[in-house]
Amino acid sequence: ITTKNRESVWSVTDCSDIEAFPESYRDALYELRKAHPNWKFVRQEVGLNWSDVISAQTGDRSLISSSADSSYKGNLYGSGWYYATPGIISYYMDPRNFLSENTIFMFEQETFNSTTHTTESVQKVLNGTFMSGGIPGTNESYAATFVRIGEAYNMSPIALASRAKQEQGVNGTSPLISGNYPGYEGLYNYFNVKASGKTNEQIYINGLSYARTQGWNTRIKSLEGGSKVIA
């Protein structure tokens, strides 16, 4: 984007938020501002060293399906999964690779905003899923619960609802939230916290064992406790 084009954007909207970013971010952000004048961009300093972050995300934290391109995959992890390479981890963690109209939402600010984070907005995320209505055994809807929890932990309820939807799928048939897995009856882990392993059995047992240590013996306790971990 040229200086002239930048000036044309400045003439119709305040771009001081974009100017707060490093130069390498600005061209893409100016293009987005032209298309979406009401979008706000917030620079957030996390105080971490880039190489330390990439190193911390390697290993069991970042796995790639066996169906992925070979350039994404390192050594075999097991059961159809590979360790992700440091290069692909670096690519996906760099916001500058995703400053487009669709992918920028990977980096949406996740703190609570009472203006935009309403039960109605969260409901739109949950429509068509097993969480579209009420929580079994309660008088509370999933949408209202996510809003209440999000406000309590200063966390976007849309992000929490999306995360639960991603972890449990549209139908919610995982043993981690069924409440009837043998030996772990009455335990729930909606966000799959600590649910890792090389076989399905290991995944279920590790996740439900953690739920037991946390006292997640109701669906709401699991949603609250898992959200606290994420927040």
Side-chain angles (χ1 to χ4, degrees):
I1 188 169
T2 65
T3 300
K4 183 176 181 180
N5 285 338
R6 285 189 180 185
E7 291 174 350
S8 68
V9 178
W10 269 95
S11 67
V12 296
T13 183
D14 178 13
C15 294
S16 57
D17 56 339
I18 295 176
E19 291 298 309
F21 282 81
E23 182 68 31
S24 57
Y25 283 73
R26 294 178 195 169
D27 284 354
L29 293 179
Y30 271 109
E31 291 290 350
L32 289 170
R33 176 56 52 79
K34 287 198 299 184
H36 303 280
N38 293 325
W39 284 12
K40 302 298 181 184
F41 304 107
V42 180
R43 175 173 175 165
Q44 182 175 353
E45 296 289 348
V46 295
L48 300 173
N49 180 276
W50 176 257
S51 60
D52 291 342
V53 170
I54 301 305
S55 177
Q57 289 297 324
T58 58
D60 291 359
R61 287 177 178 267
S62 301
L63 303 177
I64 293 292
S65 169
S66 59
S67 62
D69 187 274
S70 60
S71 63
Y72 286 35
K73 298 182 295 188
N75 293 328
L76 179 67
Y77 172 78
S79 188
W81 295 92
Y82 285 76
Y83 293 104
T85 64
I88 204 63
I89 294 172
S90 298
Y91 176 82
Y92 275 99
M93 291 195 70
D94 189 338
R96 293 170 298 182
N97 294 320
F98 300 96
L99 300 181
S100 69
E101 284 189 314
N102 294 322
T103 55
I104 195 173
F105 290 100
M106 292 166 57
F107 302 97
E108 185 176 7
Q109 194 171 38
E110 293 192 348
T111 49
F112 185 78
N113 185 324
S114 60
T115 301
T116 57
H117 294 148
T118 64
T119 301
E120 292 74 21
S121 63
V122 177
Q123 186 64 52
K124 292 179 180 179
V125 175
L126 301 177
N127 284 340
T129 76
F130 74 99
M131 295 182 288
S132 62
I135 301 175
T138 77
N139 295 320
E140 193 171 6
S141 71
Y142 277 101
T145 298
F146 281 120
V147 172
R148 174 175 60 78
I149 293 172
E151 185 172 14
Y153 294 126
N154 192 29
M155 180 77 186
S156 163
I158 291 177
L160 293 174
S162 299
R163 178 68 171 268
K165 178 180 175 180
Q166 177 185 7
E167 296 289 350
Q168 300 304 330
V170 172
N171 297 321
T173 57
S174 168
L176 285 157
I177 61 168
S178 69
N180 58 22
Y181 192 75
Y184 298 86
E185 290 84 357
L187 295 170
Y188 305 88
N189 192 337
Y190 270 76
F191 293 102
N192 293 344
V193 183
K194 304 293 185 180
S196 61
K198 295 188 177 182
T199 66
N200 286 339
E201 184 180 17
Q202 288 178 349
I203 292 170
Y204 301 149
I205 290 176
N206 288 338
L208 291 172
S209 294
Y210 184 76
R212 176 175 285 162
T213 68
Q214 300 302 303
W216 295 348
N217 57 5
T218 70
R219 296 178 185 275
I220 287 184
K221 286 181 181 179
S222 173
L223 291 169
E224 291 174 340
S227 295
K228 184 177 180 179
V229 171
I230 294 170

